[in-house]
Amino acid sequence: MSTADRIVTAALALFYRNGFHASGVDLLSAEAGVTKRTLYKYFPSKDELIESALQLRHEQFMAWLKQHVAAAAVEDGPLAYIDFIGNWVADAEFCGCAFINAAAEYAAPEQIPHRLADQHKEEVRALVVNLCTEAGAKDAVSVADSLFLIGEGLIVASQVRGYNESLVQNAKKAATLLWDAAR
Amino acid sequence: MSTADRIVTAALALFYRNGFHASGVDLLSAEAGVTKRTLYKYFPSKDELIESALQLRHEQFMAWLKQHVAAAAVEDGPLAYIDFIGNWVADAEFCGCAFINAAAEYAAPEQIPHRLADQHKEEVRALVVNLCTEAGAKDAVSVADSLFLIGEGLIVASQVRGYNESLVQNAKKAATLLWDAAR
DNA sequence: ACCTTTGTACACCGATCGGTATACTTGCGC
DNA sequence: GCGCAAGTATACCGATCGGTGTACAAAGGT
């Protein structure tokens, strides 16, 4: 693992756990096990480090998601998406969605972290649309958007209120109902 | 309007628009039209000002929500909740949910803004459960949680991706389907 | 008229912010 | 064995952070 990778990996972990504004560069470099000088050799500013960290997160997340839904039968793909979210929010390290958090801290839509969040969510939504299409939905876009909304709701509800087994079950139930109605 | 009220009102507006960590006390007091000294006469610290601002937000929001759902027929109450969210996210000043944003910036569940967010969401959820019960749902808690999830999803999706008319329509459609299945 | 309250103006505090300068060590390629 | 890039150590920069001290102006109650 290269030095740059170690830095951006540690940065992502800290930003995710601690927030972007609340994570200073001193702590950041200490967490990565490098000097501030070295950090600034690879990333010209904290802003660009944030950008790189979110880029890394996007790649990791999409790979993780794709792997999960690929393990499900094609006709259950859309429900596997909700299942994936259900697994994710149960993780002890779960701190909400890094991109939703980024959009919250950088409210203006033209700010780079917010734009990256928008792009990330668009890719996820597109993936869900694909799952619905391949599973033979009547109106793939419509049901995909509904499932996407339930997923987003499950993420933030779990973040704010803490993990709740029955809420996850409920999300799966609602998703199943919507999905069955769309086939 | 008392001086303390003007301060907390301005603080809420700035925190909502700008984030908590990103809003400094100097800007805060300037925005409120008072000196920093006066601000600290009423609020012993920025943290306590944040707490007061969130408390104010909670009261304003609940009053607004109750007023909206009270205008709907009892049997349509649960759908009026989604309708309310749909109106809200269409507002030009919409910056997501202040409590979700607070939970994002203060990730640890024991931090006061996070705890206030939890309490706020619990009250909203309880209100939706009541709406479902009064409207004669078979399993009020279950369908209320599903509608709540769709509402949360609509809030964050609109925050991250910007307002999207068809997404709102889709949320209403999904909510209607779930609600009809629960009556 | 006097005193108290309310708020202003503004300088100041130590700490931390993001970011940089300089000098030194370490290890690898040739 | 030499040179060079990578990284360390540490001190520093100006700006801003949350928060305070002090002196003064206005206004109301009695």
Side-chain angles (χ1 to χ4, degrees):
Chain A
M1 202 177 190
S2 78
T3 304
D5 284 345
R6 282 198 301 126
I7 293 171
V8 71
T9 300
L12 174 57
L14 187 60
F15 287 141
Y16 181 55
R17 188 174 0 110
N18 232 42
F20 298 91
H21 287 97
S23 301
V25 180
D26 286 283
L27 178 57
L28 220 21
S29 53
E31 204 89 347
V34 299
T35 358
K36 218 159 46 151
R37 204 73 249 235
T38 303
L39 190 152
Y40 276 102
K41 184 174 281 180
Y42 289 97
F43 303 92
S45 68
K46 184 187 173 184
D47 283 349
E48 304 218 23
L49 179 52
I50 289 175
E51 191 173 340
S52 296
L54 287 175
Q55 218 94 50
L56 171 63
R57 175 66 169 187
H58 174 65
E59 283 153 28
Q60 286 181 346
F61 186 90
M62 294 306 291
W64 185 24
L65 170 54
K66 282 171 184 167
Q67 178 187 327
H68 187 100
V69 299
V74 173
E75 67 267 25
D76 294 330
L79 294 179
Y81 172 68
I82 298 299
D83 207 62
F84 168 78
I85 307 278
N87 277 9
W88 177 27
V89 301
D91 192 302
E93 317 284 331
F94 175 75
C95 290
C97 167
F99 295 94
I100 293 174
N101 296 347
E105 287 206 45
Y106 301 90
E110 66 271 15
Q111 287 179 290
I112 287 172
H114 196 129
R115 276 187 21 221
L116 292 177
D118 186 10
Q119 289 166 21
H120 168 77
K121 292 300 182 188
E122 174 51 32
E123 271 203 47
V124 172
R125 192 193 84 112
L127 187 143
V128 179
V129 171
N130 268 353
L131 291 176
C132 290
T133 304
E134 286 163 10
K138 281 182 293 198
D139 186 350
V141 171
S142 179
V143 66
D145 273 344
S146 297
L147 294 177
F148 179 73
L149 280 186
I150 288 182
E152 296 298 284
L154 186 54
I155 292 167
V156 290
S158 299
Q159 175 179 19
V160 174
R161 321 230 32 222
Y163 176 64
N164 181 321
E165 168 72 30
S166 73
L167 189 63
V168 174
Q169 293 309 323
N170 200 285
K172 288 186 188 177
K173 211 176 90 181
T176 304
L177 206 151
L178 287 170
W179 175 238
D180 285 344
R183 273 196 299 191
Chain B
M1 203 174 189
S2 78
T3 303
D5 285 345
R6 282 198 300 125
I7 293 171
V8 71
T9 299
L12 174 57
L14 187 61
F15 286 142
Y16 182 54
R17 188 173 1 109
N18 232 43
F20 297 91
H21 287 96
S23 300
V25 180
D26 286 283
L27 177 57
L28 220 20
S29 53
E31 204 90 347
V34 298
T35 336
K36 212 157 51 150
R37 206 73 247 240
T38 303
L39 190 152
Y40 275 103
K41 185 173 282 179
Y42 288 98
F43 303 93
S45 68
K46 185 187 173 184
D47 283 349
E48 304 218 22
L49 179 53
I50 290 174
E51 191 173 340
S52 297
L54 287 175
Q55 218 95 49
L56 171 64
R57 175 65 169 190
H58 175 64
E59 283 153 27
Q60 287 180 346
F61 186 89
M62 294 307 291
W64 184 25
L65 170 55
K66 283 172 185 167
Q67 177 187 328
H68 187 100
V69 298
V74 173
E75 67 266 25
D76 293 331
L79 295 179
Y81 172 69
I82 299 298
D83 207 62
F84 168 79
I85 307 279
N87 278 9
W88 176 27
V89 302
D91 191 302
E93 317 284 332
F94 175 76
C95 291
C97 167
F99 295 94
I100 293 174
N101 297 347
E105 287 206 44
Y106 301 91
E110 65 272 15
Q111 286 179 290
I112 288 172
H114 196 129
R115 275 186 23 220
L116 292 177
D118 186 10
Q119 290 165 21
H120 168 77
K121 292 301 182 188
E122 174 52 31
E123 272 203 47
V124 172
R125 191 192 87 111
L127 187 143
V128 179
V129 171
N130 268 353
L131 290 176
C132 290
T133 303
E134 285 163 10
K138 281 182 292 198
D139 186 351
V141 171
S142 179
V143 66
D145 273 344
S146 297
L147 294 177
F148 179 72
L149 280 186
I150 288 182
E152 297 298 284
L154 186 53
I155 291 168
V156 291
S158 299
Q159 176 179 18
V160 173
R161 322 229 32 221
Y163 176 63
N164 181 320
E165 167 73 30
S166 73
L167 189 63
V168 175
Q169 293 308 325
N170 201 286
K172 288 186 189 178
K173 211 176 91 180
T176 304
L177 206 150
L178 288 170
W179 175 238
D180 285 344
R183 273 197 299 192

